[in-house]
Amino acid sequence: MSFYDLWSAVMISAIAGFVLVFSALIGSRLLAPFARERGKGISYECGMLPIGRNWAQVHVRYYLIAILFLIFDVETVFIFPWAITFLSLPEEFHVRFLRNARLHRRPRPWPGLRLETRRAGVEMTETTIKPYVPDFGAEAERLKPVELPDTHAAYRIVLPGVLQIGADTVIAMSRKSSLWPMTFGLACCAIEMIGTFMSNHDLDRFGIVPWPSPRQSDVMIVSGTVTKKMAPAIKLLYEQMPNPKYVISMGACATNGGPYTEYDRVLQGVDKIIPVDVYVPGCPPRPESLLDGLLRLQEKIMEEKRMVG
């Protein structure tokens, strides 16, 4: 057996993997909105930069290489040696998947029965069942459907069943039906946000899935008091989110400082550092209020479909 026969499956899998990865990277570069921001190149996703010498920074490309290694390492290191071992065994030791060694190698293309010795025969008969035809009698004329005139546009005649809709509408519908809020909380409003994510409210029916990383999240819910010490971390997390991205200010503290507005260490609203799309009032707002804010955000995405992306 030649070298190409042994390693052809590995080579094909490797080529297919590289083609898929580079196609995804090129497609994201051409189709996705792109904005050069400082935070997107930072590997840390906690919002705070490390201080001191005892830390090691890993580039974002490391995770892509690690995923490719896991995919191809399982096939080349664990599965391929077993395949070579079984190929080197004699033919009577080969294991055939979902087949017994005593079955015929080339079975017949039609079904058949195999009877054990000294058993009664079996006969197969075909029965024809006539389809049921309802008899409406005198009501047949009254139940006859209305015949509409055939007045369609040319493209509907050539391509029947095609829906004519703008690309901006389709993209906006996809965005509003796949909102991924980032899971982080600042103060007591985060308890209500966590309660909204529970099964009692079932956000999955709206396509809302909480996500722990800013790399794939497109909604930031600022739930709680924003201090001047926490403001740089919120700004960095916002910069790490891909475009387009949206912000929901949840509660009075995130909107204008709330009961702590007299303290100079409290930011007078998160909209002083990042843009806010929806404000949810309350101290703290109930999960129903946050759910209503998410629905208002979906309506805003549909209204601004021609201005985003």
Side-chain angles (χ1 to χ4, degrees):
M1 186 173 294
S2 62
F3 173 80
Y4 296 99
D5 295 334
L6 294 176
W7 293 91
S8 58
V10 179
M11 295 173 61
I12 293 175
S13 302
I15 294 174
F18 283 112
V19 168
L20 291 176
V21 171
F22 283 106
S23 300
L25 293 177
I26 295 174
S28 63
R29 179 69 65 176
L30 296 178
L31 301 178
F34 182 71
R36 295 185 178 275
E37 296 178 355
R38 180 181 60 88
K40 286 187 170 59
I42 299 176
S43 302
Y44 296 93
E45 300 177 356
C46 60
M48 303 297 293
L49 294 179
I51 301 175
R53 299 180 178 179
N54 297 326
W55 63 280
Q57 185 175 5
V58 181
H59 201 274
V60 179
R61 289 194 296 264
Y62 166 78
Y63 299 102
L64 178 60
I65 298 175
I67 292 174
L68 292 176
F69 173 78
L70 291 177
I71 293 175
F72 297 108
D73 180 71
V74 172
E75 179 180 356
T76 57
V77 177
F78 295 99
I79 302 178
F80 186 74
W82 285 100
I84 297 299
T85 303
F86 280 112
L87 286 177
S88 60
L89 293 176
E91 186 178 356
E92 57 269 13
F93 292 99
H94 285 185
V95 178
R96 287 181 286 173
F97 185 63
L98 294 181
R99 288 193 301 172
N100 193 298
R102 295 185 178 181
L103 294 180
H104 199 275
R105 291 180 175 271
R106 298 179 181 178
R108 299 175 181 178
W110 55 83
L113 292 177
R114 180 177 179 180
L115 301 179
E116 192 176 353
T117 309
R118 299 179 182 179
R119 294 291 181 179
V122 178
E123 182 180 359
M124 299 178 60
T125 59
E126 296 183 1
T127 58
T128 57
I129 302 177
K130 297 182 179 180
Y132 171 73
V133 180
D135 185 12
F136 297 104
E139 299 290 333
E141 186 65 26
R142 295 175 56 187
L143 297 177
K144 187 177 180 180
V146 179
E147 296 182 0
L148 299 177
D150 190 8
T151 56
H152 298 291
Y155 75 94
R156 293 186 179 275
I157 299 175
V158 178
L159 300 173
V162 175
L163 179 63
Q164 184 181 13
I165 190 171
D168 296 335
T169 304
V170 175
I171 296 175
M173 291 175 62
S174 303
R175 287 172 178 167
K176 84 175 186 66
S177 301
S178 60
L179 295 177
W180 286 16
M182 187 167 50
T183 56
F184 85 105
L186 299 178
C188 48
C189 286
I191 304 299
E192 301 295 331
M193 181 185 67
I194 295 171
T196 311
F197 292 153
M198 296 295 104
S199 59
N200 185 29
H201 300 278
D202 192 16
L203 291 181
D204 290 347
R205 54 186 169 146
F206 303 107
I208 300 173
V209 179
W211 199 253
S213 172
R215 305 292 182 182
Q216 295 84 25
S217 302
D218 52 1
V219 179
M220 173 185 284
I221 302 176
V222 183
S223 55
T225 310
V226 182
T227 61
K228 293 181 179 179
K229 182 179 180 180
M230 195 64 188
I234 296 177
K235 185 178 179 180
L236 178 58
L237 290 174
Y238 179 79
E239 292 176 351
Q240 288 179 343
M241 296 170 60
N243 295 327
K245 46 193 172 185
Y246 311 96
V247 178
I248 297 178
S249 177
M250 181 181 179
C253 294
T255 302
N256 57 6
Y260 311 105
T261 185
E262 298 180 357
Y263 297 93
D264 58 348
R265 67 186 63 92
V266 175
L267 202 66
Q268 305 299 314
V270 71
D271 52 0
K272 300 295 189 297
I273 55 175
I274 58 176
V276 177
D277 298 279
V278 177
Y279 294 89
V280 179
C283 185
R286 289 183 55 83
E288 290 80 3
S289 301
L290 180 57
L291 181 58
D292 184 72
L294 291 170
L295 296 179
R296 300 288 83 80
L297 179 59
Q298 290 183 343
E299 295 177 0
K300 183 179 180 180
I301 292 174
M302 294 302 298
E303 293 175 359
E304 299 178 354
K305 56 187 177 182
R306 296 187 181 276
M307 296 185 294
V308 179

